[in-house]
Amino acid sequence: MQTVLKIGTRASQLAMAQAHEARARLMAAHGLPEEAFEIVPITTTGDRIQNRPLSEAGGKGLFTKELEEALYGLDIDIAVHSSKDMPTETPEGLVLSAFLPREDVRDVFIGRSVKAIADLPQGARLGSSSLRRQALIRRMRPDLEVAMFRGNVQTRLRKLEEGVAEGTMLALAGLRRLGMEHVAGEIMAPDIFPPAPGQGAICIESRAADSAVSEMVAAINHADTAHALTCERAFLAALDGSCRTPIAGHAVIADGRIAFKGVILSPDGSEWHEIAAEGDMTDAASIGHDAGMDVRGRAGEGFFAGWS
């Protein structure tokens, strides 16, 4: 059968699993066989950089640049992304056209010899590449040594086995999509260890002018997830959020209402400012934006000096 849609994705095992989920939903929505959808793996700059933090190399766009170039070049019709990897501004001519139903937003701790962060010995090394996770860990356990820990899920688990660190943090959603939930130790409550904006959600990016593709992917858009992510991304945008900034944010939709909680932290975890807001889900963008501006004003400009 002729290919109907080319699906671009990062080449990692987790990204491929997410692309397969998008394909399965498109197959079901349109009654088309698997061979109608070609999955095109693309290695991004973010995948190639393993020896330094992404915050030093250019931030979130490192995971999207090559996929967006493939969209511009008509090499793919859609790109499947982890929503938390997406910059707050979408390039001209491209649009986030769908969000899949959100997975669990929680982070998990995986220890080499213990099951919980509280059980780590004094001064133990915990590895993470996320500035948000690093700041939250330091807030919980200032005594721990927090080290940069790059790589995909399998690479991080291998580093753990090799003793590079005594523990690491991963997203529960990713472990579930890989069928690896069994490796999780402590599952962190969102009130104690709030997730990254977009965590657990898969989004689809496409060309704004391609109405046929937009119509196809609209069939698998999950409205509640889309509203929640609109709020969280607006919060990020108001704070100029990127991989250089420790920001957490989570919106929940229920009965047409949206409830949002956000946190900004100093990189060392010693200072933080929290915000909560709610309203009609159709006001998701303004709720997120206003929350970001509110918490930014309360923190003061001096607070953000440590983010650069």
Side-chain angles (χ1 to χ4, degrees):
M1 180 178 178
Q2 185 177 0
T3 299
V4 175
L5 207 68
K6 290 187 176 182
I7 302 171
T9 175
R10 289 168 59 195
S12 73
Q13 192 173 337
L14 176 55
M16 290 292 286
Q18 294 179 163
H20 288 155
E21 179 179 339
R23 179 177 66 183
R25 291 182 182 277
L26 286 164
M27 288 166 56
H30 298 287
L32 290 169
E34 186 176 294
E35 54 266 29
F37 303 93
E38 179 186 353
I39 292 180
V40 182
I42 296 171
T43 301
T44 69
T45 302
D47 295 313
R48 289 191 289 267
I49 297 173
Q50 297 294 323
N51 61 347
R52 64 189 192 277
L54 290 179
S55 57
E56 295 178 4
K60 291 187 177 184
L62 296 172
F63 285 128
T64 60
K65 179 174 175 285
E66 284 81 2
L67 288 164
E68 289 169 342
E69 288 173 350
L71 281 170
Y72 282 131
L74 308 183
D75 297 315
I76 58 174
D77 299 303
I78 64 172
V80 178
H81 302 284
S82 292
S83 295
K84 70 176 181 179
D85 290 339
M86 298 301 290
T88 54
E89 292 187 10
T90 306
E92 185 176 356
L94 302 180
V95 63
L96 298 186
S97 46
F99 292 90
L100 305 190
R102 195 173 205 169
E103 244 290 0
D104 200 306
V105 302
R106 292 176 294 177
D107 284 307
V108 300
F109 167 76
I110 302 173
R112 187 161 170 257
S113 58
V114 298
K115 292 291 186 181
I117 293 177
D119 297 331
L120 285 169
Q122 189 88 4
R125 172 179 284 193
L126 198 155
S128 175
S129 61
S130 159
L131 295 189
R132 172 190 61 89
R133 287 174 179 152
Q134 290 177 4
L136 288 169
I137 291 162
R138 290 177 175 126
R139 180 170 75 165
M140 291 180 68
R141 288 284 307 270
D143 62 291
L144 296 179
E145 177 191 350
V146 182
M148 197 273 285
F149 217 49
R150 284 294 320 284
N152 59 33
V153 172
Q154 291 77 14
T155 299
R156 294 187 211 188
L157 293 177
R158 176 177 51 78
K159 288 180 178 179
L160 207 57
E161 290 176 3
E162 293 171 351
V164 176
E166 290 300 315
T168 190
M169 308 295 299
L170 290 171
L172 179 56
L175 293 177
R176 284 185 171 172
R177 289 183 175 122
L178 289 169
M180 296 176 62
E181 188 177 355
H182 62 280
V183 306
E186 181 180 17
I187 298 178
M188 311 302 294
D191 287 345
I192 295 172
F193 210 92
Q199 186 153 313
I202 297 169
C203 66
I204 293 177
E205 186 176 25
S206 59
R207 292 179 291 274
D210 198 330
S211 57
V213 170
S214 296
E215 186 176 339
M216 280 197 78
V217 299
I220 63 170
N221 181 55
H222 188 253
D224 282 0
T225 302
H227 284 302
L229 269 290
T230 295
C231 180
E232 292 170 21
R233 287 172 57 76
F235 180 69
L236 265 184
L239 292 162
D240 297 324
S242 71
C243 281
R244 299 179 178 86
T245 55
I247 300 174
H250 182 214
V252 177
I253 308 291
D255 300 322
R257 302 281 295 175
I258 187 166
F260 174 79
K261 290 183 178 180
V263 184
I264 59 174
L265 304 101
S266 59
D268 65 1
S270 64
E271 184 182 354
W272 60 88
H273 298 273
E274 299 174 326
I275 186 77
E278 61 179 87
D280 192 277
M281 69 179 186
T282 57
D283 296 324
S286 60
I287 291 168
H289 171 79
D290 292 350
M293 297 305 292
D294 187 339
V295 76
R296 184 173 196 123
R298 286 194 280 114
E301 288 305 312
F303 177 82
F304 300 93
W307 279 10
S308 59

